[in-house]
PDB file of all heavy atoms in Angstrom:
ATOM      1  N   PRO F 530    -195.180 -19.613 -54.781  1.00 97.00           N
ATOM      2  CA  PRO F 530    -194.939 -19.493 -56.206  1.00 97.00           C
ATOM      3  C   PRO F 530    -196.306 -19.585 -56.973  1.00 97.00           C
ATOM      4  O   PRO F 530    -197.140 -20.448 -56.742  1.00 97.00           O
ATOM      5  CB  PRO F 530    -194.057 -20.697 -56.530  1.00 97.00           C
ATOM      6  CG  PRO F 530    -193.370 -20.971 -55.177  1.00 97.00           C
ATOM      7  CD  PRO F 530    -194.381 -20.674 -54.119  1.00 97.00           C
ATOM      8  N   GLY F 531    -196.495 -18.592 -57.870  1.00 96.00           N
ATOM      9  CA  GLY F 531    -197.681 -18.559 -58.674  1.00 96.00           C
ATOM     10  C   GLY F 531    -198.795 -17.752 -58.095  1.00 96.00           C
ATOM     11  O   GLY F 531    -199.717 -17.381 -58.788  1.00 96.00           O
ATOM     12  N   ALA F 532    -198.616 -17.359 -56.784  1.00 97.00           N
ATOM     13  CA  ALA F 532    -199.722 -16.572 -56.150  1.00 97.00           C
ATOM     14  C   ALA F 532    -199.671 -15.136 -56.513  1.00 97.00           C
ATOM     15  O   ALA F 532    -200.699 -14.419 -56.644  1.00 97.00           O
ATOM     16  CB  ALA F 532    -199.606 -16.719 -54.651  1.00 97.00           C
ATOM     17  N   MET F 533    -198.452 -14.552 -56.673  1.00 97.00           N
ATOM     18  CA  MET F 533    -198.281 -13.113 -56.911  1.00 97.00           C
ATOM     19  C   MET F 533    -197.190 -12.899 -57.938  1.00 97.00           C
ATOM     20  O   MET F 533    -197.384 -13.080 -59.123  1.00 97.00           O
ATOM     21  CB  MET F 533    -198.149 -12.308 -55.676  1.00 97.00           C
ATOM     22  CG  MET F 533    -198.554 -10.874 -55.836  1.00 97.00           C
ATOM     23  SD  MET F 533    -198.635  -9.909 -54.271  1.00 97.00           S
ATOM     24  CE  MET F 533    -196.964  -9.395 -54.076  1.00 97.00           C
ATOM     25  N   ASP F 534    -196.062 -12.489 -57.515  1.00 94.00           N
ATOM     26  CA  ASP F 534    -194.928 -12.121 -58.388  1.00 94.00           C
ATOM     27  C   ASP F 534    -193.935 -13.212 -58.587  1.00 94.00           C
ATOM     28  O   ASP F 534    -193.158 -13.152 -59.592  1.00 94.00           O
ATOM     29  CB  ASP F 534    -194.185 -10.891 -57.825  1.00 94.00           C
ATOM     30  CG  ASP F 534    -195.060  -9.615 -57.901  1.00 94.00           C
ATOM     31  OD1 ASP F 534    -195.961  -9.556 -58.709  1.00 94.00           O
ATOM     32  OD2 ASP F 534    -194.827  -8.703 -57.097  1.00 94.00           O
ATOM     33  N   PHE F 535    -193.940 -14.230 -57.752  1.00 94.00           N
ATOM     34  CA  PHE F 535    -192.979 -15.292 -57.839  1.00 94.00           C
ATOM     35  C   PHE F 535    -193.495 -16.358 -58.789  1.00 94.00           C
ATOM     36  O   PHE F 535    -194.559 -16.911 -58.581  1.00 94.00           O
ATOM     37  CB  PHE F 535    -192.629 -15.931 -56.488  1.00 94.00           C
ATOM     38  CG  PHE F 535    -191.915 -14.975 -55.566  1.00 94.00           C
ATOM     39  CD1 PHE F 535    -191.754 -15.367 -54.187  1.00 94.00           C
ATOM     40  CD2 PHE F 535    -191.423 -13.786 -55.998  1.00 94.00           C
ATOM     41  CE1 PHE F 535    -191.099 -14.479 -53.332  1.00 94.00           C
ATOM     42  CE2 PHE F 535    -190.742 -12.900 -55.119  1.00 94.00           C
ATOM     43  CZ  PHE F 535    -190.572 -13.290 -53.781  1.00 94.00           C
ATOM     44  N   ALA F 536    -192.660 -16.764 -59.810  1.00 93.00           N
ATOM     45  CA  ALA F 536    -193.083 -17.702 -60.696  1.00 93.00           C
ATOM     46  C   ALA F 536    -192.999 -19.148 -60.104  1.00 93.00           C
ATOM     47  O   ALA F 536    -192.394 -19.329 -59.102  1.00 93.00           O
ATOM     48  CB  ALA F 536    -192.123 -17.740 -61.944  1.00 93.00           C
ATOM     49  N   LEU F 537    -193.703 -20.080 -60.706  1.00 95.00           N
ATOM     50  CA  LEU F 537    -193.711 -21.459 -60.209  1.00 95.00           C
ATOM     51  C   LEU F 537    -192.346 -22.065 -60.265  1.00 95.00           C
ATOM     52  O   LEU F 537    -191.949 -22.841 -59.356  1.00 95.00           O
ATOM     53  CB  LEU F 537    -194.709 -22.303 -61.027  1.00 95.00           C
ATOM     54  CG  LEU F 537    -196.215 -22.036 -60.735  1.00 95.00           C
ATOM     55  CD1 LEU F 537    -197.038 -22.747 -61.814  1.00 95.00           C
ATOM     56  CD2 LEU F 537    -196.596 -22.446 -59.383  1.00 95.00           C
ATOM     57  N   TYR F 538    -191.632 -21.763 -61.350  1.00 93.00           N
ATOM     58  CA  TYR F 538    -190.350 -22.400 -61.517  1.00 93.00           C
ATOM     59  C   TYR F 538    -189.240 -21.346 -61.341  1.00 93.00           C
ATOM     60  O   TYR F 538    -189.391 -20.181 -61.690  1.00 93.00           O
ATOM     61  CB  TYR F 538    -190.298 -23.031 -62.921  1.00 93.00           C
ATOM     62  CG  TYR F 538    -191.354 -24.046 -63.127  1.00 93.00           C
ATOM     63  CD1 TYR F 538    -192.586 -23.733 -63.780  1.00 93.00           C
ATOM     64  CD2 TYR F 538    -191.194 -25.333 -62.634  1.00 93.00           C
ATOM     65  CE1 TYR F 538    -193.557 -24.620 -63.923  1.00 93.00           C
ATOM     66  CE2 TYR F 538    -192.211 -26.268 -62.764  1.00 93.00           C
ATOM     67  CZ  TYR F 538    -193.410 -25.891 -63.398  1.00 93.00           C
ATOM     68  OH  TYR F 538    -194.387 -26.829 -63.509  1.00 93.00           O
ATOM     69  N   PRO F 539    -188.092 -21.776 -60.830  1.00 93.00           N
ATOM     70  CA  PRO F 539    -187.643 -23.145 -60.563  1.00 93.00           C
ATOM     71  C   PRO F 539    -188.032 -23.732 -59.152  1.00 93.00           C
ATOM     72  O   PRO F 539    -187.804 -24.844 -58.865  1.00 93.00           O
ATOM     73  CB  PRO F 539    -186.148 -23.069 -60.560  1.00 93.00           C
ATOM     74  CG  PRO F 539    -185.837 -21.662 -60.053  1.00 93.00           C
ATOM     75  CD  PRO F 539    -187.020 -20.801 -60.543  1.00 93.00           C
ATOM     76  N   THR F 540    -188.797 -22.899 -58.349  1.00 96.00           N
ATOM     77  CA  THR F 540    -188.993 -23.277 -56.980  1.00 96.00           C
ATOM     78  C   THR F 540    -189.671 -24.653 -56.794  1.00 96.00           C
ATOM     79  O   THR F 540    -189.283 -25.561 -56.004  1.00 96.00           O
ATOM     80  CB  THR F 540    -189.861 -22.196 -56.242  1.00 96.00           C
ATOM     81  OG1 THR F 540    -189.200 -20.977 -56.422  1.00 96.00           O
ATOM     82  CG2 THR F 540    -189.927 -22.523 -54.802  1.00 96.00           C
ATOM     83  N   VAL F 541    -190.786 -24.874 -57.587  1.00 95.00           N
ATOM     84  CA  VAL F 541    -191.518 -26.153 -57.408  1.00 95.00           C
ATOM     85  C   VAL F 541    -190.671 -27.340 -57.845  1.00 95.00           C
ATOM     86  O   VAL F 541    -190.807 -28.430 -57.240  1.00 95.00           O
ATOM     87  CB  VAL F 541    -192.854 -26.087 -58.162  1.00 95.00           C
ATOM     88  CG1 VAL F 541    -193.805 -25.025 -57.662  1.00 95.00           C
ATOM     89  CG2 VAL F 541    -192.602 -25.923 -59.713  1.00 95.00           C
ATOM     90  N   ASP F 542    -189.732 -27.143 -58.756  1.00 96.00           N
ATOM     91  CA  ASP F 542    -188.770 -28.237 -59.123  1.00 96.00           C
ATOM     92  C   ASP F 542    -187.810 -28.472 -57.993  1.00 96.00           C
ATOM     93  O   ASP F 542    -187.428 -29.659 -57.784  1.00 96.00           O
ATOM     94  CB  ASP F 542    -188.114 -27.907 -60.447  1.00 96.00           C
ATOM     95  CG  ASP F 542    -188.981 -28.101 -61.663  1.00 96.00           C
ATOM     96  OD1 ASP F 542    -190.076 -28.798 -61.546  1.00 96.00           O
ATOM     97  OD2 ASP F 542    -188.646 -27.548 -62.681  1.00 96.00           O
ATOM     98  N   VAL F 543    -187.425 -27.448 -57.370  1.00 97.00           N
ATOM     99  CA  VAL F 543    -186.381 -27.592 -56.297  1.00 97.00           C
ATOM    100  C   VAL F 543    -187.014 -28.314 -55.104  1.00 97.00           C
ATOM    101  O   VAL F 543    -186.416 -29.210 -54.477  1.00 97.00           O
ATOM    102  CB  VAL F 543    -185.861 -26.218 -55.870  1.00 97.00           C
ATOM    103  CG1 VAL F 543    -184.926 -26.403 -54.669  1.00 97.00           C
ATOM    104  CG2 VAL F 543    -185.072 -25.562 -57.009  1.00 97.00           C
ATOM    105  N   ILE F 544    -188.277 -28.006 -54.825  1.00 98.00           N
ATOM    106  CA  ILE F 544    -189.035 -28.707 -53.721  1.00 98.00           C
ATOM    107  C   ILE F 544    -189.327 -30.196 -54.137  1.00 98.00           C
ATOM    108  O   ILE F 544    -189.163 -31.065 -53.310  1.00 98.00           O
ATOM    109  CB  ILE F 544    -190.322 -27.957 -53.361  1.00 98.00           C
ATOM    110  CG1 ILE F 544    -189.997 -26.581 -52.755  1.00 98.00           C
ATOM    111  CG2 ILE F 544    -191.198 -28.777 -52.488  1.00 98.00           C
ATOM    112  CD1 ILE F 544    -191.215 -25.675 -52.542  1.00 98.00           C
ATOM    113  N   GLY F 545    -189.768 -30.375 -55.358  1.00 97.00           N
ATOM    114  CA  GLY F 545    -190.201 -31.669 -55.762  1.00 97.00           C
ATOM    115  C   GLY F 545    -191.712 -31.812 -55.812  1.00 97.00           C
ATOM    116  O   GLY F 545    -192.373 -31.407 -54.792  1.00 97.00           O
ATOM    117  N   ARG F 546    -192.239 -32.311 -56.891  1.00 95.00           N
ATOM    118  CA  ARG F 546    -193.723 -32.357 -57.049  1.00 95.00           C
ATOM    119  C   ARG F 546    -194.404 -33.121 -55.957  1.00 95.00           C
ATOM    120  O   ARG F 546    -195.498 -32.809 -55.509  1.00 95.00           O
ATOM    121  CB  ARG F 546    -194.039 -32.956 -58.432  1.00 95.00           C
ATOM    122  CG  ARG F 546    -195.470 -32.788 -58.822  1.00 95.00           C
ATOM    123  CD  ARG F 546    -195.668 -33.063 -60.292  1.00 95.00           C
ATOM    124  NE  ARG F 546    -197.104 -33.038 -60.631  1.00 95.00           N
ATOM    125  CZ  ARG F 546    -197.914 -34.075 -60.642  1.00 95.00           C
ATOM    126  NH1 ARG F 546    -197.417 -35.287 -60.331  1.00 95.00           N
ATOM    127  NH2 ARG F 546    -199.167 -33.944 -61.031  1.00 95.00           N
ATOM    128  N   ASP F 547    -193.762 -34.173 -55.431  1.00 95.00           N
ATOM    129  CA  ASP F 547    -194.357 -35.003 -54.415  1.00 95.00           C
ATOM    130  C   ASP F 547    -194.449 -34.367 -53.084  1.00 95.00           C
ATOM    131  O   ASP F 547    -195.155 -34.802 -52.178  1.00 95.00           O
ATOM    132  CB  ASP F 547    -193.653 -36.375 -54.281  1.00 95.00           C
ATOM    133  CG  ASP F 547    -192.139 -36.215 -53.889  1.00 95.00           C
ATOM    134  OD1 ASP F 547    -191.564 -35.163 -54.168  1.00 95.00           O
ATOM    135  OD2 ASP F 547    -191.690 -37.046 -53.182  1.00 95.00           O
ATOM    136  N   ARG F 548    -193.725 -33.206 -52.903  1.00 97.00           N
ATOM    137  CA  ARG F 548    -193.758 -32.465 -51.625  1.00 97.00           C
ATOM    138  C   ARG F 548    -194.613 -31.243 -51.662  1.00 97.00           C
ATOM    139  O   ARG F 548    -194.745 -30.555 -50.619  1.00 97.00           O
ATOM    140  CB  ARG F 548    -192.345 -32.078 -51.159  1.00 97.00           C
ATOM    141  CG  ARG F 548    -191.424 -33.251 -50.784  1.00 97.00           C
ATOM    142  CD  ARG F 548    -192.000 -34.105 -49.613  1.00 97.00           C
ATOM    143  NE  ARG F 548    -192.522 -33.367 -48.501  1.00 97.00           N
ATOM    144  CZ  ARG F 548    -191.744 -32.817 -47.549  1.00 97.00           C
ATOM    145  NH1 ARG F 548    -190.447 -33.027 -47.587  1.00 97.00           N
ATOM    146  NH2 ARG F 548    -192.337 -32.172 -46.545  1.00 97.00           N
ATOM    147  N   LEU F 549    -195.090 -30.898 -52.836  1.00 98.00           N
ATOM    148  CA  LEU F 549    -195.874 -29.632 -52.903  1.00 98.00           C
ATOM    149  C   LEU F 549    -197.135 -29.650 -52.095  1.00 98.00           C
ATOM    150  O   LEU F 549    -197.585 -28.570 -51.657  1.00 98.00           O
ATOM    151  CB  LEU F 549    -196.301 -29.420 -54.384  1.00 98.00           C
ATOM    152  CG  LEU F 549    -195.139 -28.931 -55.351  1.00 98.00           C
ATOM    153  CD1 LEU F 549    -195.670 -28.815 -56.760  1.00 98.00           C
ATOM    154  CD2 LEU F 549    -194.449 -27.704 -54.890  1.00 98.00           C
ATOM    155  N   LYS F 550    -197.641 -30.766 -51.750  1.00 98.00           N
ATOM    156  CA  LYS F 550    -198.834 -30.836 -50.822  1.00 98.00           C
ATOM    157  C   LYS F 550    -198.467 -30.339 -49.375  1.00 98.00           C
ATOM    158  O   LYS F 550    -199.367 -29.973 -48.683  1.00 98.00           O
ATOM    159  CB  LYS F 550    -199.266 -32.290 -50.719  1.00 98.00           C
ATOM    160  CG  LYS F 550    -198.364 -33.295 -50.142  1.00 98.00           C
ATOM    161  CD  LYS F 550    -198.921 -34.687 -50.088  1.00 98.00           C
ATOM    162  CE  LYS F 550    -197.892 -35.699 -49.578  1.00 98.00           C
ATOM    163  NZ  LYS F 550    -197.399 -35.412 -48.256  1.00 98.00           N
ATOM    164  N   ASP F 551    -197.146 -30.290 -49.071  1.00 98.00           N
ATOM    165  CA  ASP F 551    -196.763 -29.819 -47.755  1.00 98.00           C
ATOM    166  C   ASP F 551    -196.140 -28.423 -47.817  1.00 98.00           C
ATOM    167  O   ASP F 551    -195.576 -27.930 -46.820  1.00 98.00           O
ATOM    168  CB  ASP F 551    -195.685 -30.764 -47.163  1.00 98.00           C
ATOM    169  CG  ASP F 551    -196.176 -32.192 -47.124  1.00 98.00           C
ATOM    170  OD1 ASP F 551    -197.408 -32.438 -46.740  1.00 98.00           O
ATOM    171  OD2 ASP F 551    -195.400 -33.106 -47.436  1.00 98.00           O
ATOM    172  N   ALA F 552    -196.274 -27.795 -48.976  1.00 98.00           N
ATOM    173  CA  ALA F 552    -195.581 -26.513 -49.197  1.00 98.00           C
ATOM    174  C   ALA F 552    -196.544 -25.310 -49.218  1.00 98.00           C
ATOM    175  O   ALA F 552    -197.644 -25.426 -49.710  1.00 98.00           O
ATOM    176  CB  ALA F 552    -194.868 -26.488 -50.539  1.00 98.00           C
ATOM    177  N   TYR F 553    -196.082 -24.197 -48.627  1.00 98.00           N
ATOM    178  CA  TYR F 553    -196.791 -22.949 -48.574  1.00 98.00           C
ATOM    179  C   TYR F 553    -198.225 -23.115 -48.011  1.00 98.00           C
ATOM    180  O   TYR F 553    -199.241 -22.608 -48.604  1.00 98.00           O
ATOM    181  CB  TYR F 553    -196.800 -22.260 -49.947  1.00 98.00           C
ATOM    182  CG  TYR F 553    -195.456 -22.060 -50.464  1.00 98.00           C
ATOM    183  CD1 TYR F 553    -194.781 -22.979 -51.293  1.00 98.00           C
ATOM    184  CD2 TYR F 553    -194.666 -20.925 -50.038  1.00 98.00           C
ATOM    185  CE1 TYR F 553    -193.487 -22.833 -51.780  1.00 98.00           C
ATOM    186  CE2 TYR F 553    -193.386 -20.784 -50.529  1.00 98.00           C
ATOM    187  CZ  TYR F 553    -192.771 -21.694 -51.354  1.00 98.00           C
ATOM    188  OH  TYR F 553    -191.488 -21.501 -51.761  1.00 98.00           O
ATOM    189  N   LEU F 554    -198.344 -23.781 -46.941  1.00 98.00           N
ATOM    190  CA  LEU F 554    -199.624 -24.079 -46.357  1.00 98.00           C
ATOM    191  C   LEU F 554    -200.153 -22.831 -45.607  1.00 98.00           C
ATOM    192  O   LEU F 554    -199.401 -22.018 -45.076  1.00 98.00           O
ATOM    193  CB  LEU F 554    -199.582 -25.240 -45.326  1.00 98.00           C
ATOM    194  CG  LEU F 554    -199.025 -26.514 -45.894  1.00 98.00           C
ATOM    195  CD1 LEU F 554    -199.089 -27.659 -44.871  1.00 98.00           C
ATOM    196  CD2 LEU F 554    -199.708 -26.945 -47.135  1.00 98.00           C
ATOM    197  N   CYS F 555    -201.436 -22.749 -45.574  1.00 98.00           N
ATOM    198  CA  CYS F 555    -202.105 -21.681 -44.802  1.00 98.00           C
ATOM    199  C   CYS F 555    -203.347 -22.247 -44.107  1.00 98.00           C
ATOM    200  O   CYS F 555    -203.413 -22.252 -42.877  1.00 98.00           O
ATOM    201  CB  CYS F 555    -202.456 -20.524 -45.701  1.00 98.00           C
ATOM    202  SG  CYS F 555    -203.153 -19.151 -44.862  1.00 98.00           S
ATOM    203  N   ARG F 556    -204.331 -22.629 -44.905  1.00 98.00           N
ATOM    204  CA  ARG F 556    -205.551 -23.201 -44.382  1.00 98.00           C
ATOM    205  C   ARG F 556    -205.252 -24.372 -43.455  1.00 98.00           C
ATOM    206  O   ARG F 556    -205.849 -24.550 -42.397  1.00 98.00           O
ATOM    207  CB  ARG F 556    -206.500 -23.578 -45.501  1.00 98.00           C
ATOM    208  CG  ARG F 556    -207.765 -24.319 -45.111  1.00 98.00           C
ATOM    209  CD  ARG F 556    -208.524 -24.658 -46.364  1.00 98.00           C
ATOM    210  NE  ARG F 556    -209.487 -25.687 -46.127  1.00 98.00           N
ATOM    211  CZ  ARG F 556    -210.039 -26.472 -47.038  1.00 98.00           C
ATOM    212  NH1 ARG F 556    -209.613 -26.338 -48.325  1.00 98.00           N
ATOM    213  NH2 ARG F 556    -210.922 -27.403 -46.722  1.00 98.00           N
ATOM    214  N   SER F 557    -204.352 -25.250 -43.854  1.00 98.00           N
ATOM    215  CA  SER F 557    -203.989 -26.433 -43.070  1.00 98.00           C
ATOM    216  C   SER F 557    -203.510 -26.032 -41.713  1.00 98.00           C
ATOM    217  O   SER F 557    -203.793 -26.673 -40.704  1.00 98.00           O
ATOM    218  CB  SER F 557    -203.036 -27.309 -43.791  1.00 98.00           C
ATOM    219  OG  SER F 557    -203.591 -27.842 -44.992  1.00 98.00           O
ATOM    220  N   LEU F 558    -202.664 -25.032 -41.671  1.00 98.00           N
ATOM    221  CA  LEU F 558    -202.135 -24.567 -40.383  1.00 98.00           C
ATOM    222  C   LEU F 558    -203.208 -23.991 -39.485  1.00 98.00           C
ATOM    223  O   LEU F 558    -203.254 -24.275 -38.286  1.00 98.00           O
ATOM    224  CB  LEU F 558    -201.041 -23.528 -40.621  1.00 98.00           C
ATOM    225  CG  LEU F 558    -199.905 -23.895 -41.535  1.00 98.00           C
ATOM    226  CD1 LEU F 558    -198.837 -22.825 -41.613  1.00 98.00           C
ATOM    227  CD2 LEU F 558    -199.174 -25.227 -41.084  1.00 98.00           C
ATOM    228  N   ALA F 559    -204.065 -23.140 -40.094  1.00 98.00           N
ATOM    229  CA  ALA F 559    -205.144 -22.528 -39.336  1.00 98.00           C
ATOM    230  C   ALA F 559    -206.078 -23.529 -38.786  1.00 98.00           C
ATOM    231  O   ALA F 559    -206.558 -23.498 -37.644  1.00 98.00           O
ATOM    232  CB  ALA F 559    -205.877 -21.480 -40.196  1.00 98.00           C
ATOM    233  N   GLU F 560    -206.478 -24.547 -39.609  1.00 98.00           N
ATOM    234  CA  GLU F 560    -207.378 -25.586 -39.197  1.00 98.00           C
ATOM    235  C   GLU F 560    -206.809 -26.442 -38.067  1.00 98.00           C
ATOM    236  O   GLU F 560    -207.564 -26.980 -37.238  1.00 98.00           O
ATOM    237  CB  GLU F 560    -207.852 -26.418 -40.347  1.00 98.00           C
ATOM    238  CG  GLU F 560    -208.681 -25.780 -41.322  1.00 98.00           C
ATOM    239  CD  GLU F 560    -209.046 -26.590 -42.580  1.00 98.00           C
ATOM    240  OE1 GLU F 560    -208.421 -27.651 -42.742  1.00 98.00           O
ATOM    241  OE2 GLU F 560    -209.950 -26.224 -43.285  1.00 98.00           O
ATOM    242  N   ALA F 561    -205.510 -26.477 -37.960  1.00 98.00           N
ATOM    243  CA  ALA F 561    -204.818 -27.220 -36.897  1.00 98.00           C
ATOM    244  C   ALA F 561    -204.648 -26.379 -35.646  1.00 98.00           C
ATOM    245  O   ALA F 561    -204.009 -26.843 -34.657  1.00 98.00           O
ATOM    246  CB  ALA F 561    -203.526 -27.772 -37.387  1.00 98.00           C
ATOM    247  N   GLY F 562    -205.092 -25.137 -35.729  1.00 98.00           N
ATOM    248  CA  GLY F 562    -205.138 -24.307 -34.485  1.00 98.00           C
ATOM    249  C   GLY F 562    -203.954 -23.310 -34.384  1.00 98.00           C
ATOM    250  O   GLY F 562    -203.790 -22.577 -33.340  1.00 98.00           O
ATOM    251  N   ALA F 563    -203.154 -23.173 -35.453  1.00 98.00           N
ATOM    252  CA  ALA F 563    -202.049 -22.242 -35.388  1.00 98.00           C
ATOM    253  C   ALA F 563    -202.572 -20.819 -35.581  1.00 98.00           C
ATOM    254  O   ALA F 563    -203.317 -20.532 -36.603  1.00 98.00           O
ATOM    255  CB  ALA F 563    -201.033 -22.515 -36.477  1.00 98.00           C
ATOM    256  N   PRO F 564    -202.279 -19.860 -34.764  1.00 98.00           N
ATOM    257  CA  PRO F 564    -202.607 -18.425 -35.014  1.00 98.00           C
ATOM    258  C   PRO F 564    -201.897 -17.975 -36.248  1.00 98.00           C
ATOM    259  O   PRO F 564    -200.748 -18.257 -36.454  1.00 98.00           O
ATOM    260  CB  PRO F 564    -202.160 -17.696 -33.745  1.00 98.00           C
ATOM    261  CG  PRO F 564    -201.869 -18.736 -32.706  1.00 98.00           C
ATOM    262  CD  PRO F 564    -201.529 -19.995 -33.478  1.00 98.00           C
TER     263      PRO F 564
END
């Protein structure tokens, strides 16, 4: 959400602000060795 065509809301509210750190990860997955 917010990266291209999808708006931030309502998705970020459905997830919850305290869980956004775990949402839509990319760099974190790559750094942990995931192809």
